[in-house]
Amino acid sequence: MKYSTFRTALLTFSGAALLMAVLSGSLFAADTIKLGVAGAHSGDLASYGLPTVKAAELVVKEINAKGGILGRQVELLVDDDVCKPEVATNTATKLVSQKVDVVIGHICSGATKAALGIYKDAKVIAISPSATNPDLTQSGQYPNFYRTIASDDTQALLEVNFAIDKLKVKKIAVLHDKGDYGKGLAEYAKKFIEESKKATVVLFEGITPGAVDYSAVVQKIKRSGAEAVIFGGYHPEASSIVSQMRKKDMKIHFISDDGVKDDTFIKVAQKYAEGVYATGPKDTSKNPLAIAAIEAHKKAYGADPGAFFLNGYAAAQAILAAIQKAGSTDYAAVGKALQTEFVETPLGKIKFDKRGDAIGVGFSMYQVRKGVYVEVK
Amino acid sequence: MDYFLELLLGGLTRGSIYALIALGYTMVYGIIELINFAHGEIYMIGAFTALIVASVLTMNGMTGISVLILASVVAVLYSAAYGFTVEKIAYKPLRQAPRLSPLISAIGMSIFLQNYVLLAQTSDYLPFPNLIPVLPFMEPYSQLMGSTELVIVLTTTVVTVILTLFIKFTKIGKAMRATAQDRSMAMLTGVNVNRVISNTFIIGSALAAIGGVLIASHVGRINFYIGFIAGIKAFTAAVLGGIGSIPGAVLGGLVLGWTESFATGYVSSDYEDVFAFCLLVLILIFRPAGLLGRSTAQKV
């Protein structure tokens, strides 16, 4: 008897609490703009997701201090997807049921893909700071998707265009390390070279990472008559291959990716690194907005920001600026504003193309000169 | 023809590298029938020791061949000490245990040493200076084979010859062969079996250290994980040639090196490992004891 009284009381209480939560939620909905932030906030990839949460907090704090957007305050709804597609669908459903206006996220490409369909049906725009899978924008399936990071294939395209237009090579050897990242990049490079019709792929091979010796593959490059090598992979293999090429007096160009644009590469390959080209994210260290954003992070959290912080910062700024310009949170109007209006962000002046990729964000070509990577203009 | 020659020499270098490490595997297996998985790590420790010594010496203004010699000597002593200690800690207490126990102990030792270096040093790749001086008379042929590669091939040859003679003609060598044939019988005739086994580990580890110095000079970078990757290939070479046999380890290394080199050169480097391991399977089907291994009846 006593037990059931207790249970009734508990039920009544929780019912009341629930009602209050619903009421307060609906009260707020009238006058705040709800900005969802979804991504990996726990688990082993949390370090990729948390900086974006902090970036969104900083941007929103600044905007709210100035009176918000369209006279409304911005409210953050932060939700974790642990970088797993199956969790991301739940996260997305939850955010949609909480009636978010726009979402910043998700962080990982797989999770983003899983969540996008749900946002699309609910007519919610999602803007990711870090999902680089080319399909997300190129498939045309997700008109509600935007991102403030360049997709994987832009690096390959930059490498190929650089080789063909700047270095004027006709024969290119494409190598990769058989990994997801390196092989994906190499396959794009091959596709772009073939499509350009201005050069030919004379060799396309995967090498074994960590092998003691790459002389056979180097001989093969030599025999193929390649004038340039495009390598998709990381710096340990790149330094071995470059060293062996140079030791065999092969002076052909070596072009690689941001897995090689790492100072360890120069440290290990030493004099043989000289002249090697590698693509890497555009230099933002001199952008005053980037400097200010990093300073704000240091002041608020007492540490340097983590991965994709500036991309997250730019995403939050871009989406809120678009709402401001559109004059509402209407799906079509915000989408149009994202595609037509330039926004000043820490990544530079950006807007988005029809597919959702940011224009003005991307990679630059760097070359090792006198032991440091220098941007090639 | 030039291309063939280049691949042949590239395969020779690669094969000699595998052989140099495989010798240590095969010696230990020959004596106590244990696959010493920690051997690759001893090789890695040798390379790290040489790097540290060479850096200190270079900072103090020493150059040339003396750095190579001093770094090698210290690396050999240090690695030999490690090999000796590993045997005492991880294998000797298990001498009478079933054969699987020391095997597990060896895997444990390998993981321990890797992580020990990871924590004590760094997880990054470190540049390894080429300690082997450029030999002027090799310059015209540097397209085909560099000085480092020549030194590696020559060292493997010399080491193999010395080791074979050592086992055949010296007293310790005889004791080793006796222990390999029948441990209890050797003990009965007055051979100090424990000391023989210790000696085997010391010699094997010293060889690994020499390999570490030379191979790291060739590759130009080291990290805590190099022992594992090189160890797997060297172990394959030892099995291919017939584990327990010293000429077999060298032959196995060379066959593996050439297979990989020609597979890359004429087919595709995508299938380098596929060819190497297909060859291993084929050889083991037709010669289960390996190329030069003697198939012995199992002791009952």
Side-chain angles (χ1 to χ4, degrees):
Chain A
M1 188 62 195
K2 212 166 187 183
Y3 171 70
S4 81
T5 321
F6 174 69
R7 201 166 61 168
T8 319
L10 195 69
L11 270 176
T12 322
F13 177 73
S14 52
L18 196 70
L19 195 69
M20 260 166 70
V22 171
L23 273 179
S24 65
S26 59
L27 274 175
F28 272 115
D31 42 34
T32 62
I33 290 173
K34 289 186 170 181
L35 179 62
V37 181
H41 304 149
S42 63
D44 51 355
L45 294 171
S47 63
Y48 287 155
L50 290 173
T52 295
V53 179
K54 289 184 174 148
E57 279 171 2
L58 288 172
V59 172
V60 166
K61 205 165 87 188
E62 196 188 321
I63 282 177
N64 282 345
K66 285 182 191 158
I69 293 175
L70 310 172
R72 293 156 70 184
Q73 291 281 299
V74 181
E75 183 193 358
L76 277 182
L77 298 172
V78 180
D79 224 320
D80 187 5
D81 72 3
V82 218
C83 196
K84 289 188 177 138
E86 65 273 19
V87 182
T89 52
N90 290 341
T91 311
T93 312
K94 190 174 158 199
L95 285 173
V96 165
S97 68
Q98 288 173 327
K99 304 227 176 319
V100 286
D101 293 304
V102 286
V103 172
I104 297 176
H106 296 206
I107 299 298
C108 305
S109 290
T112 308
K113 209 171 201 168
L116 278 179
I118 294 163
Y119 295 135
K120 188 174 141 190
D121 293 341
K123 289 207 175 298
V124 169
I125 287 176
I127 179 164
S128 170
S130 60
T132 55
N133 185 309
D135 260 2
L136 289 173
T137 51
Q138 289 173 11
S139 66
Q141 280 181 33
Y142 307 109
N144 58 328
F145 179 68
Y146 298 87
R147 61 179 154 206
T148 52
I149 190 163
S151 66
D152 286 339
D153 57 333
T154 35
Q155 273 197 81
L157 187 62
L158 177 63
E159 288 168 20
V160 169
N161 286 343
F162 186 82
I164 293 175
D165 299 335
K166 289 268 173 61
L167 303 175
K168 311 263 180 229
V169 293
K170 296 265 180 273
K171 291 174 175 175
I172 303 173
V174 180
L175 300 183
H176 60 83
D177 65 357
K178 301 187 197 168
D180 276 345
Y181 163 73
K183 192 173 181 191
L185 215 80
E187 274 166 354
Y188 275 111
K190 185 172 174 234
K191 195 179 114 200
F192 293 138
I193 295 169
E194 280 160 359
E195 280 170 0
S196 78
K197 297 197 168 56
K198 285 188 220 151
T200 47
V201 178
V202 289
L203 186 71
F204 184 79
E205 295 234 359
I207 56 151
T208 312
V212 291
D213 181 84
Y214 290 110
S215 63
V217 86
V218 168
Q219 295 294 0
K220 211 169 176 181
I221 298 169
K222 195 175 176 187
R223 193 165 82 140
S224 72
E227 298 161 287
V229 175
I230 290 182
F231 175 72
Y234 298 98
H235 61 84
E237 284 72 37
S239 65
S240 280
I241 295 173
V242 168
S243 307
Q244 290 201 338
M245 273 168 53
R246 300 297 185 241
K247 277 181 199 163
K248 294 207 187 291
D249 258 350
M250 289 165 67
K251 294 196 177 77
I252 63 174
H253 302 291
F254 191 91
I255 306 161
S256 198
D257 47 39
D258 63 343
V260 173
K261 202 209 151 271
D262 187 311
D263 288 340
T264 321
F265 172 73
I266 302 174
K267 216 172 80 191
V268 171
Q270 290 170 344
K271 65 177 176 185
Y272 301 117
E274 212 52 32
V276 165
Y277 296 101
T279 52
K282 267 190 185 152
D283 188 14
T284 54
S285 62
K286 290 191 186 72
N287 184 324
L289 287 174
I291 297 168
I294 292 167
E295 275 310 312
H297 184 281
K298 277 187 192 156
K299 220 171 122 191
Y301 303 103
D304 279 327
F308 307 120
F309 171 76
L310 290 179
N311 301 77
Y313 204 93
Q317 282 187 323
I319 194 76
L320 292 175
I323 293 174
Q324 172 96 44
K325 298 228 172 81
S328 76
T329 53
D330 177 62
Y331 172 72
V334 174
K336 193 167 167 250
L338 279 170
Q339 288 171 21
T340 48
E341 306 281 348
F342 272 105
V343 192
E344 285 286 354
T345 70
L347 300 177
K349 213 172 171 184
I350 60 169
K351 71 170 187 175
F352 298 85
D353 64 14
K354 283 206 171 57
R355 303 185 309 185
D357 276 321
I359 301 168
V361 168
F363 291 93
S364 305
M365 186 58 82
Y366 295 82
Q367 187 182 25
V368 182
R369 286 179 193 157
K370 296 202 177 76
V372 279
Y373 272 113
V374 182
E375 195 171 341
V376 182
K377 290 276 159 34
Chain B
M1 194 58 214
D2 257 9
Y3 187 55
F4 177 81
L5 193 67
E6 280 162 356
L7 291 179
L8 188 79
L9 289 173
L12 181 68
T13 311
R14 193 186 269 230
S16 303
I17 290 174
Y18 293 153
L20 209 49
I21 311 173
L23 283 173
Y25 275 105
T26 220
M27 273 183 67
V28 167
Y29 188 87
I31 305 282
I32 53 171
E33 297 190 346
L34 163 76
I35 298 160
N36 181 14
F37 281 107
H39 188 66
E41 273 57 54
I42 301 287
Y43 148 80
M44 178 262 298
I45 287 173
F48 265 92
T49 316
L51 176 62
I52 294 166
V53 175
S55 308
V56 171
L57 291 181
T58 316
M59 251 192 293
N60 289 326
M62 214 184 237
T63 48
I65 193 99
S66 48
V67 178
L68 171 69
I69 292 171
L70 270 174
S72 303
V73 168
V74 177
V76 161
L77 291 176
Y78 205 67
S79 292
Y82 261 96
F84 176 80
T85 319
V86 164
E87 195 269 328
K88 282 279 177 277
I89 292 174
Y91 308 143
K92 194 173 171 234
L94 296 169
R95 199 61 50 75
Q96 306 306 328
R99 271 181 66 187
L100 269 181
S101 310
L103 198 71
I104 305 292
S105 183
I107 295 172
M109 215 57 215
S110 159
I111 296 171
F112 169 78
L113 288 176
Q114 261 177 38
N115 289 286
Y116 161 66
V117 174
L118 166 68
L119 293 175
Q121 296 291 327
T122 167
S123 62
D124 282 345
Y125 274 100
L126 297 173
F128 195 96
N130 194 345
L131 297 175
I132 300 164
V134 176
L135 307 169
F137 69 89
M138 278 303 286
E139 276 309 281
Y141 311 104
S142 68
Q143 295 278 330
L144 284 174
M145 195 180 224
S147 315
T148 317
E149 288 74 29
L150 183 77
V151 170
I152 289 176
V153 173
L154 287 181
T155 310
T156 306
T157 319
V158 171
V159 161
T160 313
V161 171
I162 292 180
L163 208 58
T164 315
L165 295 177
F166 176 80
I167 288 180
K168 213 157 195 163
F169 295 115
T170 63
K171 204 173 163 192
I172 307 174
K174 275 180 193 157
M176 278 169 140
R177 277 185 290 149
T179 312
Q181 274 177 10
D182 191 330
R183 203 189 301 160
S184 0
M185 194 60 211
M187 228 184 286
L188 284 176
T189 54
V191 175
N192 187 343
V193 170
N194 279 333
R195 189 188 289 164
V196 169
I197 294 173
S198 286
N199 283 337
T200 312
F201 271 89
I202 289 173
I203 297 170
S205 304
L207 290 181
I210 295 174
V213 177
L214 296 181
I215 298 163
S217 288
H218 169 71
V219 179
R221 63 193 153 84
I222 58 172
N223 79 344
F224 70 96
Y225 204 57
I226 53 166
F228 181 76
I229 296 167
I232 291 230
K233 280 288 165 68
F235 174 60
T236 311
V239 173
L240 197 69
I243 193 150
S245 150
I246 284 176
V250 178
L251 184 66
L254 291 177
V255 168
L256 192 65
W258 277 321
T259 311
E260 287 184 354
S261 187
F262 287 124
T264 301
Y266 289 113
V267 190
S268 165
S269 64
D270 289 283
Y271 301 110
E272 183 183 279
D273 286 350
V274 177
F275 277 94
F277 288 102
C278 280
L279 181 82
L280 179 71
V281 169
L282 277 179
I283 287 178
L284 290 185
I285 287 174
F286 293 107
R287 287 194 61 90
L291 288 174
L292 299 183
R294 267 168 302 166
S295 47
T296 47
Q298 283 290 317
K299 285 172 217 158
V300 185

